Amino acid sequence: MSALHGPLLLALAMAVLGGLVALGRAIGPALGLQRIGLPAALVAGVLGLLLGPYGPWPVLPAPVETLWARLPMVLLTFVFGTLMLGRPLPDLAKLWKPAAAQTLLGLTLGFGQYLVGAVAVLLVLGPWLGADPLMACLIEVGFEGGHGSAAVMGPIYADLGFSGGTDLGLAMATVGLLSSTVVGGLLVVLAQGQGWLLAAEAGAPLCVLPEPAATAVAAVPGWQERLRQLATNLALVGIAVGIGVVMLAGLERLAEPAGGMLRTVIDALPVYPLALAGSLLVRLALERSDRAELAVPALQNGLGALATDLLIAAATAGLNLPLLRANWLPLLVLSGFGLAWNLLVILVLAPRILPAGWFERAVIEFGQATGVAASGLLLLGMADPDGRSEAIPAFSIKQLLLQPVLAGGVVTVAAPLALHSWGLPLWGGVCLGLTVLWGGLALALGAGRP
């Protein structure tokens, strides 16, 4: 595409995507789809898929779909830039135990994905399809890491002789994103029926806008003041993201002389967890300078929700259907094993590990460990629309701690190298030991909570 057409094409892609999200938000509630766990963003994405180059009515040009496929990482960074701006900083002395439980749950999920991937290849894909042993890494890469990690890991797989690793990793990320949204939505519906939600315990309806946000927006006097507040809050998010970009550039500069695995890990590190750190720093600066009122909670929540909807819609509309069709059988096996593990951890371990509001804390983890972090935030918004739980602060701290380790971190980069050197049975045994270790520590911590 020429440089002249680039801005026009981007404007067209964003305008169409915004229109699809608006249409999805109108269609979803009208058809009662949220009652069966289908969010409006997924409806918008399916509409885009139907109209895209792989759909039955391909009226949209292929470059629009290509741009949509590139948007999720940008939008995810924006979401994380909003995450802590609109809420008071938590008391770390009271948060360490919930954050520790969240972190141990995340470690159990991540290393367990490697474990079940090894089991799937040893028992099914290897004997029946002659699959490459490195396919055992794809669940963690696709589910935990997403499209960004899958793309970065491609050259490493190619160097080890697994040339199809990039395409299969991207396909796994696509399956994970869809699964996190659809299966996660059904989990929220199940939780409502079982009375697991804090909102249900308090008698609040599911999936409604919180009253404080609605009244706060209505109370803003005049369009000039609304515009000023919107511009201020967008600027605050921009500062948070800018801090993350500068931090990542600094890490890349420090890692450049070292080379080796450190350089590979830093190159694979996405900017969005550092945008979360930027969000925390901006909030800290606002509170220390007594200007916290500049970050309007309703606006920050609304901006984050809109970016999340756009992300889910763009990722769904940009699905590469031919790639999914070509690899449907190994993808089906791996995604089945991965989903079964994630559901086992969320439904069996999480109630015994996490403190009060366990489901809200668990469902955000399910969304992140199956699709992307924004999927978890979307599911949390469905399960806890008025913010009764304390899920966000603990999840945010866990992301800062685990992002350099899993989901594109040190373990993600080292895993195929270790598997290639040790062999699949030994690698599976190591993952079994680590999964039992993290799960056991989590259960011990949960048993000691008040």
Side-chain angles (χ1 to χ4, degrees):
M1 117 191 29
S2 68
L4 179 64
H5 293 151
L8 294 176
L9 195 58
L10 178 61
L12 173 63
M14 293 305 298
V16 173
L17 185 62
L20 289 173
V21 168
L23 189 58
R25 287 183 171 185
I27 291 176
L31 298 180
L33 297 181
Q34 286 180 324
R35 296 194 192 114
I36 57 173
L38 295 180
L42 185 61
V43 176
V46 171
L47 291 174
L49 191 62
L50 294 175
L51 301 176
Y54 302 124
W57 304 291
V59 298
L60 295 174
V64 169
E65 185 269 344
T66 302
L67 280 175
W68 283 347
R70 296 175 183 171
L71 283 176
M73 192 58 69
V74 177
L75 292 168
L76 185 58
T77 303
F78 184 92
V79 170
F80 270 71
T82 70
L83 209 52
M84 298 303 296
L85 282 174
R87 63 184 70 244
L89 290 178
D91 184 351
L92 293 180
K94 297 179 180 178
L95 192 61
W96 79 266
K97 197 166 185 179
Q102 200 85 26
T103 301
L104 289 170
L105 184 70
L107 286 167
T108 305
L109 277 166
F111 282 97
Q113 288 178 1
Y114 282 121
L115 171 61
V116 298
V119 172
V121 175
L122 279 171
L123 299 184
V124 181
L125 295 179
W128 293 93
L129 299 178
D132 192 301
L134 290 173
M135 287 189 73
C137 296
L138 290 181
I139 298 176
E140 194 276 342
V141 169
F143 278 20
E144 281 274 357
H147 292 82
S149 293
V152 169
M153 292 298 294
I156 297 175
Y157 287 139
D159 289 343
L160 297 175
F162 184 30
S163 58
T166 301
D167 289 339
L168 285 171
L170 291 171
M172 275 298 298
T174 298
V175 173
L177 181 64
L178 280 175
S179 301
S180 67
T181 307
V182 175
V183 178
L186 294 175
L187 277 178
V188 174
V189 174
L190 173 65
Q192 183 190 26
Q194 296 294 319
W196 295 340
L197 303 179
L198 290 177
E201 293 173 7
L206 183 67
C207 298
V208 296
L209 287 175
E211 282 299 319
T215 54
V217 172
V220 174
W223 67 268
Q224 296 97 334
E225 178 64 12
R226 295 189 185 195
L227 187 60
R228 184 194 67 79
Q229 287 190 344
L230 177 60
T232 300
N233 280 265
L234 283 171
L236 292 174
V237 178
I239 293 171
V241 172
I243 291 173
V245 171
V246 171
M247 292 172 69
L248 183 59
L251 290 174
E252 290 172 345
R253 180 67 63 88
L254 291 173
E256 189 172 352
M261 182 173 291
L262 177 62
R263 178 64 187 272
T264 303
V265 170
I266 296 301
D267 286 344
L269 184 66
V271 73
Y272 72 81
L274 301 176
L276 172 59
S279 179
L280 283 166
L281 291 174
V282 172
R283 180 70 197 190
L284 178 63
L286 291 174
E287 291 190 4
R288 291 289 175 86
S289 61
D290 293 325
R291 303 301 302 274
E293 74 280 355
L294 291 177
V296 181
L299 271 177
Q300 291 295 330
N301 292 340
L303 290 170
L306 177 60
T308 300
D309 279 358
L310 290 171
L311 187 157
I312 300 297
T316 305
L319 292 181
N320 189 332
L321 294 181
L323 180 63
L324 294 177
R325 282 197 298 266
N327 299 283
W328 70 271
L329 186 54
L331 289 175
L332 179 65
V333 173
L334 289 173
S335 60
F337 273 77
L339 271 175
W341 171 252
N342 287 359
L343 288 171
L344 176 69
V345 172
I346 295 306
L347 295 177
V348 177
L349 286 181
R352 296 166 172 80
I353 292 172
L354 299 175
W358 72 268
F359 181 82
E360 287 82 354
R361 297 173 190 268
V363 78
I364 192 174
E365 206 62 51
F366 175 84
Q368 191 276 326
T370 312
V372 293
S375 303
L377 296 172
L378 177 72
L379 296 174
L380 178 63
M382 295 174 63
D384 185 22
D386 51 359
R388 295 176 184 270
S389 73
E390 295 291 332
I392 290 289
F395 176 75
S396 300
I397 292 175
K398 168 256 170 186
Q399 283 294 103
L400 288 172
L401 293 174
L402 287 198
Q403 187 63 53
V405 179
L406 294 167
V410 175
V411 172
T412 303
V413 173
L417 303 175
L419 192 158
H420 186 74
S421 299
W422 300 346
L424 188 56
L426 178 57
W427 167 251
V430 170
C431 292
L432 173 62
L434 289 171
T435 303
V436 171
L437 172 64
W438 302 127
L441 289 174
L443 288 170
L445 183 65
R449 70 174 184 249

